[in-house]
Amino acid sequence: MIKNYFIIAIRSLLKSRTTSFINVLGLSIGMACCIIIFLFVQDEMSYDKFHSKSDDIFRVLTIDEALGVSSSLVGITLPALAPAMEDNFPEVVNRVRMLPQGRQLINYEQQGYYTEHFAYAESSLFEIFDFSLIEGNVENALTEPNTVVFSQSMAKRTFGEEDAIGKRVDIGNQTGLEVVAVMKDITENSHLDFDVIVSMAQADTASGFSQFLSSWQSISMVTYVELSNAEAEANVEAKMETLIRDNNVGDNFKVTLQPLSDVHLRSKDTLFENYNLNKTDIGYVYTLAAVGIFVILIASFNFMNLSTARSINRAQEVGVRKVFGAIRGQLINQFMIESVLIAFISFLIALVIVASLGSFVNLPFEENLANLFLSNPIWLAGGLLFTIVLGLFSGSYPALMLSKYSPTSILRGTFKTSSQGVLLRKGLVIFQFTISIIMIIGTTIVYEQLQLMRNADKGFDPEQVVTLNVGHPSLQQSIPVLKNRLEQNPAILKTALTQGMPGRTFGRRGVTPEGASPDDTWIISVLTFDESFIDLMGMEVAEGRAFDREIQTDQQQAILINEAMAKELAWDDPVGRKVNFGQNERTIIGVVKDFHFASMRHQIEPLAMFFNPNGGGNLAVKFSANNASAAMEFVQEAWDEVFSNSPIEYRFFDEEFGQQYESDERFGRLVFSFTWLAIFIACLGLFGLSTFTAQQKIKEIGVRKVLGASVAGIVMLLSKEFTKLIIIATVFASPLAYFMMQAWLKDFAYRISINWFWFVVSALAALVIALLTVSFQSIKAAMINPAKSLRYE
């Protein structure tokens, strides 16, 4: 019996080649999209799950409620908090503190090597987190002062094939650090990523760093705690509040816990996260998951639509089968097997599509996506189960509808006059194009928002600027030599020293502005640079003047502020006013026009700028666009002349600044790609339905042509019904799209206004695409000779 089911199913598919092709193509593309999106979503949701204690690990965050701060949640906290929690809270099983430092220069045997992810950490790092050691042991790693752990790749890069254990290196001001362990490269989905870790342990408990570690007055330490169980979170948070108040922490600071599983996905508004640079937005993950569901639903509804339309042609077959004794269950099984067979064929083709084209979607996978999917038994089993369920779902309505009719009513033609199939087909078409129009509108708004972030006036010129890392102490004395050498080349327009660059994390300091209430607590962002920086960056001084090396008091007594700070303080005439930083009083000499030094998701915060003509770990170099290649070659040559034993480390500023929008850009590309695939799938179904409609009305068209109807008139007749469905879909889609995109745009402090014009264009685009799809079959049907179409009437 099963064999006969499959033989009949294959014959039926071959008999209706066009419909079968449309079904298989639509389902294949829908499944391929679903697999790719599923892999992406699973990858994002799996971050930090490989740690055996992941459910009980929490990050300690600080909430800064001071005036002058618009982004209050920060990923660092009080250095003394973690030890106090471990000592006083029985729920805290363990804790670890870290100080990520980003890129640092390591010297080994007179050779320099830059790390990518350098950090200081306590030895409990390897007790709480499952970072594997290839050499050395967990019990001794980072327990002693002046010890360091290397990652496997960094050890090979620094020491070659030699055994790394026991080797000594210099990092910054620390010399003779001993390598005590080699850690396996962190290749899992981890928001923490280290290649060199230096012990926080101090031999001198009276040292400045030891005093820093016991401070309750600095917000600067990355901290994680392991709780006895996840349910203790609320109780520990309440105790933390009491603990910091007992240690005289400012009332503007509060502390909270964040589950480890939320760090990657739910930290979009958290600042000071130099180690969590590839964080994403859980909303993006959910949106893409919804897109995947919608795409596969559109493909499935295509299948159901075309199967329902074909049911009229197969009604006679069902009637004859029933006359010869077929029962309803057998007919249902026949239709379900046909449906599952199409779904299975589509699944195989989808895997081929994923294997061939998966790399073009730019997801963070090195392995072929199809191999990645098939290599996991759970995913493969889930894919097969999904295929069977999809096949059963897609074929359910035609099977149940056709099998319920009596053979008498079918053979008499009663089934042909039923309105159920017609209503279902119209409803599914409306649903498909409602989703498609929502996706078109959403894609348009996402594109416009990304364009705003790319092209909006940032308050500076990011083009043709490269930053050199000159922060290592061994480089400091020769920086003026390098600057002088660079500025001799006409392709180098200007150089400037700076503590940081826009897009990187700036520090914050407490401040008491002139005229402020003594009860107010102000904290603002700070930046230090030399007299050339503002000009090099193309920034504008709106009031007063910039720093001047010739004015001796600028370094110790002067300060610049941005417009946001003047606005926050309601100062109409800020130049000449006083600002106190502890015991250091500064006079405002100028106001710099606002520039974006953080993501455009965040409001520009108050910023104070200090003058240091000889300080800063970054040398910004502005070069001519006409001689960019020659300029960079000269920069390399000049560096090698001045710092022959240290490798150059530089970044193009426009690329670096753009990295903070990488997650948004990737989201936009994925939504754009899958939107047009969804429209293509919907139009495949529309093409099949228009083909069926034209075939059903072939004799009506012939009569109309005999009576004088024109080709254009007949095309209008056949297209009118589908046009109504697209208009209804637009009515449903527009308000849904508006509210959805309004919710998305709320995450951006600087955002576009939703324009009604985009809704009109999106609806017209969907309508034009649909009409072009329908018109092909309509014109083909209208061009048939009426004598041929009426031959058997």
Side-chain angles (χ1 to χ4, degrees), residues 466-468 470 479 482-483 486 495-498 617-621:
V466 64
T467 56
L468 310 180
V470 293
I479 291 176
L482 177 63
K483 282 171 57 69
L486 291 173
T495 65
L497 281 168
T498 176
N618 300 279
L619 179 62
V621 179

Side-chain angles (χ1 to χ4, degrees), residues 621-674:
V621 179
K622 181 81 170 182
F623 55 87
S624 170
N626 297 327
N627 299 298
S629 178
M632 289 310 302
E633 289 179 7
F634 182 76
V635 169
Q636 179 73 62
E637 293 172 5
W639 180 278
D640 292 340
E641 287 179 16
V642 179
F643 304 122
S644 56
N645 293 326
S646 297
I648 188 172
E649 195 266 327
Y650 64 86
R651 300 180 186 179
F652 288 100
F653 175 61
D654 57 343
E655 296 177 0
E656 181 186 358
F657 189 79
Q659 285 178 354
Q660 61 187 324
Y661 305 117
E662 184 175 347
S663 177
D664 300 310
E665 296 271 2
R666 184 172 61 180
F667 171 74
R669 288 194 299 268
L670 288 174
V671 169
F672 179 83
S673 300
F674 292 125

Side-chain angles (χ1 to χ4, degrees), residues 246-264:
D246 290 343
N247 286 277
N248 301 316
V249 175
D251 292 339
N252 60 291
F253 291 119
K254 291 180 171 57
V255 286
T256 187
L257 296 177
Q258 181 185 42
L260 182 65
S261 58
D262 288 352
V263 175
H264 174 70

Side-chain angles (χ1 to χ4, degrees), residues 607-623:
L607 173 68
M609 291 155 275
F610 295 85
F611 178 50
N612 187 348
N614 302 309
N618 300 279
L619 179 62
V621 179
K622 181 81 170 182
F623 55 87

Side-chain angles (χ1 to χ4, degrees), residues 336-351:
M336 288 298 189
I337 286 177
E338 288 183 21
S339 181
V340 172
L341 181 61
I342 290 177
F344 185 73
I345 294 171
S346 301
F347 178 67
L348 296 178
I349 296 175
L351 291 176

Side-chain angles (χ1 to χ4, degrees), residues 73-226:
L73 197 63
V74 295
I76 50 180
T77 193
L78 304 148
L81 179 59
M85 290 174 66
E86 186 178 27
D87 292 341
N88 294 285
F89 303 166
E91 300 92 339
V92 177
V93 177
N94 206 344
R95 47 82 178 179
V96 60
R97 294 176 293 178
M98 292 173 271
L99 280 175
Q101 302 292 305
R103 295 173 67 89
Q104 293 289 325
L105 181 63
I106 293 180
N107 284 310
Y108 172 67
E109 294 185 346
Q110 305 302 314
Q111 291 295 319
Y113 306 90
Y114 272 102
T115 70
E116 292 293 332
H117 306 287
F118 169 79
Y120 294 95
E122 295 178 308
S123 60
S124 51
L125 173 72
F126 297 106
E127 299 170 5
I128 294 179
F129 296 100
D130 295 345
F131 296 129
S132 304
L133 296 183
I134 298 173
E135 298 181 63
N137 57 74
V138 173
E139 290 75 15
N140 298 330
L142 304 180
T143 57
E144 298 296 325
N146 300 317
T147 57
V148 59
V149 173
F150 271 60
S151 71
Q152 185 177 11
S153 58
M154 192 64 197
K156 184 174 183 179
R157 189 170 144 216
T158 307
F159 309 115
E161 299 301 325
E162 299 178 19
D163 185 6
I165 303 298
K167 296 290 192 299
R168 294 191 177 272
V169 297
D170 300 335
I171 305 177
N173 291 321
Q174 293 182 273
T175 59
L177 297 175
E178 180 185 359
V179 179
V180 296
V182 176
M183 178 179 67
K184 183 180 178 181
D185 289 341
I186 303 175
T187 56
E188 302 276 0
N189 284 0
S190 172
H191 79 278
L192 292 171
D193 192 6
F194 310 112
D195 53 10
V196 175
I197 312 171
V198 174
S199 172
M200 274 190 183
Q202 297 291 296
D204 181 8
T205 57
S207 69
F209 192 73
S210 291
Q211 298 300 315
F212 162 73
L213 292 176
S214 61
S215 170
W216 288 95
Q217 304 304 314
S218 170
I219 307 295
S220 53
M221 188 69 67
V222 176
T223 301
Y224 293 82
V225 294
E226 177 192 343

Side-chain angles (χ1 to χ4, degrees), residues 342-362:
I342 290 177
F344 185 73
I345 294 171
S346 301
F347 178 67
L348 296 178
I349 296 175
L351 291 176
V352 175
I353 294 173
V354 171
S356 305
L357 305 177
S359 59
F360 291 99
V361 295
N362 195 28

